[in-house]
Structure formats: structure tokens, C-alpha cells
Amino acid sequence: MSLVVVGSMAFDAIETPFGKSDRIIGGAATYIAWSASNFTQPIKQISVVGGDFPKEELSALEARGVQLEGVQVKENEKSFFWSGKYHMDMNTRDALDTQLNVLANFEPKVPDSYQDCSFLMLGNLVPAIQLQVIEQMKTQPRLVVLDTMNFWMETAMDDLMKVLKRVDVLMVNDSEARELSNEFSLVKAAKKILTMGPKYLIIKKGEHGALLFHSDNVFFAPALPLEDVFDPTGAGDTFAGGFIGHIARTKDISFENMKTAIIYGSAMASFCVEKFGTERLKSLTKEEIDRRMQQFQDLVNFDIELV
Amino acid sequence: MSLVVVGSMAFDAIETPFGKSDRIIGGAATYIAWSASNFTQPIKQISVVGGDFPKEELSALEARGVQLEGVQVKENEKSFFWSGKYHMDMNTRDALDTQLNVLANFEPKVPDSYQDCSFLMLGNLVPAIQLQVIEQMKTQPRLVVLDTMNFWMETAMDDLMKVLKRVDVLMVNDSEARELSNEFSLVKAAKKILTMGPKYLIIKKGEHGALLFHSDNVFFAPALPLEDVFDPTGAGDTFAGGFIGHIARTKDISFENMKTAIIYGSAMASFCVEKFGTERLKSLTKEEIDRRMQQFQDLVNFDIELV
């Protein structure tokens, strides 16, 4: 019974209206691992980095119960690098630079010790690579969760459609849901996407919360109203980490438990955006997470008293 | 102990991506009255119409417990007319035509029979007129709720600031909250606006729900995910009607009860957008409202199980 996480481990350089970071540690799988490790350990990581990826970052992850047997280190190559700039509304960003580097020829290898995988979290990555990981799994995980993005819809739609047929839960943001379904209404988009493979669909709406769809059921998780969103980079990955972390900890893949998992995801994301990069995630305590979960409950809790 | 509603009663012509209406009945006070009358009666209406306003519409309102002593009928003039066009996202609209007509010289007169007012709902209208109504009240209502819009911030800010000092609850949408406060973050905007007079601030975010702020407390009400938003005209007024209707019915102006009131407002708004104009509101049953309230509770209800 273990959690396997697939995704990039990388460098980011980020500009927001509030400041500018140097080249800092990023990558979907990095955020997912930091987030999920608050809920469950070990985490079995699959990724690739170059020789420039700091060894102390790998050690820090190991100290958090993240196993790195599936992380290839290509000493003579460079790690994936992304640079982007956010605008005031923080929902749109411009990519300033994207250097695939080690990701360009990445061939994931699932170690034998990862074959006990019950929960597979496919972080945002080339769909063909996500598919390779699924295909290397000798037994079907209990739950496969996929995060993806518009870029793959525009450049690798055929592969993405193949991956979709193999996953249980899909996470995308609202504009991606619209793009994938060609429907403007998110309810209609969800109905269409749920015929493409996934049985559960999570639509992330940033500061406007997230929706979970499953057959005719829908659940809405709010986002915590924050004074400042300092840096949204990694918020979606951190959300994914909180979601799958809670599922893996509780070993409960019911719709009811997914609701709670989404609130955990939202709580973790609300921490992520408070500082640049993974900084805030590294210093989190159980008490802080518990307190924030209580804030989410207070935020939406009301009494019905029918007319 | 009565509810007094102030606002326009008018004609609208609406174009949406889904269709086009003829000249139909609209106006803030019309929507508020139809919505609130599901919760409390009588409703004491203050407005002005021209001779062209259909007598049967006035009779229909009277049959719903809406008292019209405060509604001036200017037989030789024309009712306020607004025409607008919505785009696909339904959050933005273009005004195509605005004819003030009877509203241009409207001087509201509060009838003696309205002086038992406990709850005063000031629907969107010229701030100076809203202020005149407040000033004609011989005793201070228990709760004064104000709805307004960006147009008055741009054309009558001084008057609006005077009204703000006299109200308990302000309702605006997210862009209006930003405009009024000159803050992008809604949390910061709320803090600033709560120093301008109102003790409670409701920020309406359309399909993204609504936020209620009061000192350091915040509550979030989701919007119901809908397959289609057919016509958003009047949704904000209908929301206001559900909110004040529930408050007036329960006579409870606590923060806790305002939470429930906002959910009622959201539920009523979710009906409003299903058809053009007030059509859907006129045919609502208690059972439909109860069922929709249950949907709102199911939508956000989750179990916390702390880490």
C-alpha cells in the first residue's frame, strides 16, 4: 500500500507583482511530495533531474520520507527550467522561458520496490511519459489521479486522450476543462469529460475554489479568502499533494472522502501561495494544517432553517 | 415590524447568447419584491412607474402581499427603460440603452403606514434618493441593507459615501468592491469598506458565489453550478430579496443568521437566471426553494477528520 508520485523536479524563476525570485526549486513532483508528506510516508517518487539539482534538496525530501529510487540523476545534464511572470489577478501568467533539458528524453523506470503502489499520482508532465508509468505498473493501483494542463491539449491531445482512459480522477483548471470539452458551462464540460475515462473530475478555479464531479454528484470546495496571494506557482501541485496524501493516509476512495481530500488540498494550496516556491510548505506543522482545516469549515458552515 | 423595499420598477430588453427578450418587466425593486415575498409579507414598496407600466403587473405584486402605497404612478410619463447585452461569460454586459424617464425627477415619499419599518432594503438606485428614504424614516430601522453599483461610484461618489454611513449591510460585486476600496485583494477591500460605514459587507461574485465580511469574520456562500445561465438580469436584486426576506421572516440580524440568509439569496438567484426576467420567480413553490437549499448544503458539506 504505497503512494507513487510522478512529475517534474525542476528550477523556476518567478516574477509576481509582489517580487521576483531567483532560480528556485520547483517542479510538480516536488510540490506534490512536500505537500503529501504531511499526510503519508513513504512517498515513492519518479522523476528526473540534472547534475545541477542541489543534493541537499534531495536529502531534505528523503528526510520527509520521500524515496528517490525512481528519480534519475543525469549528472552531465541540466534540470528542467521554467520562468514565468504573473499579473495582478494571478490567474493568468506568461511563460518567459522553458528549457526542457533532462525532460526532453526522460524515460521513466518504475523500480520493483514501487510495485506495491495503491495510489498513483501523475503530476503534470508529458502525457506519453505518464502513460509509460501506468503501463509499467504490474497491478492496477486502487486510484490513479492525473493532473495535466492546456499545453498538452494543444500539443499531445492523442496521447492525453489515451492517458485519460486509464485514470480514475482528473484534475484540471476551469479554462482547461472548457478547452478539453469544448463547452463553456463547467457543468456541461464535466459531463463530457466524465465520458472520456475518469470517473471523478476536479475543476480547480484558483481563488474561486474547486469543484468535484462524479456521475450526477457535485461538491464545491471554497478557496480561503487571502489578503495576499504572494506566488501561485505550485498551488495546483500542492493541492494535488494534499488531495492524494489524505486519500493515501485514509485508504478511502469514496466520493465522501474525496470531499474531505479536496478541502485538504485547498488548505495546502492556501499555504503554498503565501511565499515563493516550496518555502512555506517546508515549515508547516500539523497544528497549522488542523487550524486551517477548521477555517475552511467555518468559512462554509451554515444552518438551514427551511421556509 | 415590516420590510420596506426601495428601487426601480422598470422595463428591460435583454440579449444573451441564448436569446433575446422583448421589452419585459424589470427593475431592482420588482425583483426584490418577487424574491422576498416568498419569505415575508407584506412588503412595503417604494418606487415610481410611468403610465405604461402594466396594471396587471401591479396587481400581481399586490396579490403577493406587496403594498404599493409608496409606488408613485405618473400616468403621463414613461417608466425607466434599460437595454443590455450579455456575452458568453455572463459576468460582463454592455448597456445598449438607458432611458431614465420617471426616475429622472423621482422624489420618494415614505407613507405613514411604512413608518413601522424594521428592515429597509435599499435596492440599486441613485444614492441621493436612497438617502432621502433613510432620512424620512422617523425611527431607525433595525437593519438597513444597501445595494449599489459601479455607475454611482463614478458619478455620485459623494452621495454614495453619505449613504454608506447610514447603512448596516452593503452589497456590491467583486469589481465594485475593488473600485470602491482601490484594493485588488477582496480581503483588503473588505477591511477598507468596513471603515466606510457598513458593519457587514457582502461581495457578490456571480457564478463564483458570495462572501460575507463582518469585523474579522468571513463566510463564503457558493453559487450552484448550473448547466446554463440563461439570463443573469436581476440575479443580484433577487439575491438581495432572498437575503432580506429571510432576515425579515426570522427577525434575527445576527451574523450566524446572515449566513443562512445569504444561502437563501443565492438559492433565489439560482432560480432567477433560469429564465428571462421575473418569469421563474413568479412560479416558484416552497418545495422548490427547500429542495434547492438542500442542494446548497450538499454542495459544500464535508467531514473534517484532522491529520
Side-chain angles (χ1 to χ4, degrees):
Chain A
M1 292 284 277
S2 76
L3 168 59
V4 173
V5 170
V6 187
S8 57
M9 296 175 69
F11 289 110
D12 290 335
I14 301 153
E15 222 180 302
T16 81
F18 305 108
K20 204 171 161 172
S21 77
D22 291 329
R23 214 172 67 134
I24 56 173
I25 297 297
T30 314
Y31 282 100
I32 294 170
W34 277 110
S35 180
S37 61
N38 286 283
F39 303 91
T40 188
Q41 295 183 11
I43 290 167
K44 302 186 175 183
Q45 194 90 333
I46 295 179
S47 191
V48 60
V49 297
D52 54 353
F53 200 83
K55 299 291 177 282
E56 60 271 25
E57 286 293 331
L58 296 175
S59 307
L61 283 167
E62 277 181 318
R64 281 287 284 243
V66 181
Q67 298 183 1
L68 304 177
E69 195 185 341
V71 177
Q72 301 170 29
V73 183
K74 302 200 169 172
E75 287 296 350
N76 300 319
E77 296 182 40
K78 286 167 79 179
S79 301
F80 175 58
F81 173 76
W82 178 81
S83 164
K85 183 177 175 168
Y86 292 87
H87 303 284
M88 202 58 198
D89 80 352
M90 295 282 190
N91 288 330
T92 53
R93 64 184 186 187
D94 300 330
L96 301 177
D97 193 6
T98 305
Q99 299 170 18
L100 284 182
N101 299 328
V102 288
L103 268 189
N105 302 305
F106 178 40
E107 294 190 0
K109 285 182 195 67
V110 178
D112 285 343
S113 66
Y114 286 26
Q115 290 293 350
D116 64 343
C117 170
S118 295
F119 305 101
L120 176 58
M121 178 69 230
L122 300 164
N124 178 36
L125 198 61
V126 188
I129 298 178
Q130 295 174 319
L131 195 60
Q132 282 182 55
V133 172
I134 297 175
E135 287 174 343
Q136 288 178 48
M137 289 292 171
K138 290 173 188 155
T139 53
Q140 176 69 20
R142 284 186 63 206
L143 197 76
V144 181
V145 180
L146 177 76
D147 191 11
T148 189
M149 70 184 293
N150 54 345
F151 182 74
W152 310 119
M153 296 171 194
E154 288 145 25
T155 60
M157 191 55 143
D158 288 351
D159 286 343
L160 180 57
M161 292 304 285
K162 281 182 210 159
V163 183
L164 284 179
K165 292 201 181 11
R166 306 288 294 270
V167 307
D168 302 296
V169 183
L170 171 66
M171 301 181 167
V172 284
N173 70 27
D174 43 0
S175 71
E176 290 157 353
R178 288 181 171 128
E179 186 166 343
L180 185 57
S181 63
N182 216 6
E183 290 283 355
F184 186 83
S185 152
L186 294 181
V187 176
K188 287 186 178 172
K191 284 193 178 173
K192 223 178 212 181
I193 292 170
L194 289 176
T195 67
M196 297 177 184
K199 291 180 288 293
Y200 300 86
L201 170 67
I202 295 170
I203 299 180
K204 298 171 288 184
K205 304 198 299 169
E207 65 168 301
H208 301 303
L211 290 161
L212 166 65
F213 293 92
H214 171 57
S215 60
D216 285 335
N217 300 313
V218 56
F219 172 69
F220 176 80
L224 204 66
L226 297 171
E227 286 220 18
D228 292 308
V229 172
F230 191 76
D231 170 21
T233 309
D237 309 311
T238 303
F239 174 92
F243 176 81
I244 197 68
H246 174 75
I247 298 275
R249 176 173 70 90
T250 54
K251 302 178 177 57
D252 175 355
I253 60 172
S254 68
F255 181 70
E256 282 308 310
N257 194 47
M258 282 191 196
K259 293 180 182 179
T260 309
I262 285 186
I263 302 289
Y264 272 110
S266 303
M268 298 306 289
S270 75
F271 287 118
C272 174
V273 302
E274 289 180 0
K275 295 198 175 175
F276 271 127
T278 54
E279 193 184 341
R280 186 69 183 92
L281 295 180
K282 290 182 177 178
S283 66
L284 270 182
T285 65
K286 179 185 175 318
E287 288 65 35
E288 285 178 310
I289 298 172
D290 285 355
R291 202 154 51 234
R292 194 143 295 187
M293 285 297 285
Q294 191 58 55
Q295 281 181 277
F296 273 84
Q297 195 157 62
D298 295 343
L299 184 64
V300 293
N301 206 32
F302 63 90
D303 295 321
I304 285 189
E305 186 194 345
L306 297 176
V307 183
Chain B
M1 292 284 278
S2 76
L3 168 61
V4 173
V5 171
V6 186
S8 57
M9 296 175 68
F11 290 110
D12 291 334
I14 300 154
E15 221 179 303
T16 80
F18 305 108
K20 204 172 161 171
S21 78
D22 291 330
R23 215 173 66 134
I24 56 174
I25 297 297
T30 315
Y31 281 101
I32 294 170
W34 276 109
S35 180
S37 61
N38 286 283
F39 303 91
T40 188
Q41 294 183 13
I43 290 166
K44 301 185 174 182
Q45 194 90 335
I46 296 179
S47 192
V48 60
V49 297
D52 54 354
F53 199 83
K55 300 292 176 279
E56 60 271 25
E57 286 293 331
L58 297 175
S59 307
L61 282 166
E62 278 182 315
R64 282 287 283 244
V66 182
Q67 297 181 3
L68 304 177
E69 195 185 341
V71 177
Q72 301 170 30
V73 182
K74 303 200 167 170
E75 287 295 350
N76 300 321
E77 297 183 40
K78 286 168 79 180
S79 301
F80 174 60
F81 173 75
W82 178 82
S83 164
K85 182 177 174 168
Y86 291 87
H87 303 285
M88 203 58 198
D89 81 352
M90 294 282 189
N91 288 330
T92 53
R93 63 184 186 188
D94 300 329
L96 302 177
D97 192 6
T98 305
Q99 299 171 19
L100 284 181
N101 299 330
V102 287
L103 267 188
N105 302 305
F106 178 40
E107 294 190 359
K109 286 183 195 65
V110 177
D112 286 343
S113 66
Y114 286 26
Q115 290 292 350
D116 64 344
C117 171
S118 296
F119 306 100
L120 175 58
M121 178 69 231
L122 299 164
N124 178 36
L125 200 61
V126 188
I129 298 178
Q130 294 174 319
L131 195 60
Q132 282 183 55
V133 172
I134 296 174
E135 287 173 344
Q136 287 179 48
M137 289 292 170
K138 290 172 190 158
T139 52
Q140 176 69 20
R142 283 188 63 206
L143 196 77
V144 181
V145 180
L146 176 76
D147 191 12
T148 187
M149 70 185 294
N150 54 346
F151 182 75
W152 310 119
M153 296 172 194
E154 288 144 24
T155 60
M157 190 56 142
D158 288 351
D159 286 343
L160 180 57
M161 292 304 286
K162 281 182 208 156
V163 184
L164 284 180
K165 292 203 183 3
R166 306 289 295 270
V167 307
D168 302 295
V169 183
L170 171 65
M171 302 181 169
V172 285
N173 71 26
D174 42 1
S175 71
E176 289 156 355
R178 289 183 170 127
E179 185 165 344
L180 186 58
S181 64
N182 215 8
E183 290 283 355
F184 187 82
S185 152
L186 294 181
V187 176
K188 287 186 177 172
K191 284 192 177 172
K192 223 176 211 182
I193 292 169
L194 289 176
T195 67
M196 297 176 183
K199 292 179 287 294
Y200 301 86
L201 171 66
I202 295 170
I203 299 181
K204 299 171 287 182
K205 305 200 297 170
E207 65 168 302
H208 301 302
L211 290 161
L212 167 66
F213 293 92
H214 171 57
S215 60
D216 286 334
N217 301 313
V218 55
F219 171 69
F220 175 79
L224 203 66
L226 297 171
E227 287 220 16
D228 292 307
V229 171
F230 191 76
D231 170 21
T233 309
D237 309 312
T238 304
F239 174 93
F243 176 83
I244 197 68
H246 173 75
I247 299 275
R249 177 173 69 90
T250 53
K251 302 177 177 59
D252 174 355
I253 60 172
S254 68
F255 182 70
E256 282 307 309
N257 194 47
M258 282 191 196
K259 293 180 182 181
T260 308
I262 285 186
I263 301 289
Y264 272 110
S266 303
M268 297 307 289
S270 75
F271 287 118
C272 174
V273 302
E274 289 179 0
K275 296 197 175 174
F276 271 126
T278 54
E279 193 184 340
R280 186 68 183 90
L281 295 179
K282 291 183 177 178
S283 67
L284 271 183
T285 65
K286 178 184 175 319
E287 288 66 35
E288 285 177 310
I289 298 172
D290 285 354
R291 202 155 51 233
R292 193 141 297 186
M293 285 297 284
Q294 191 59 56
Q295 282 180 276
F296 272 84
Q297 195 157 61
D298 295 343
L299 184 64
V300 293
N301 207 32
F302 63 90
D303 295 321
I304 284 189
E305 185 193 346
L306 297 176
V307 183

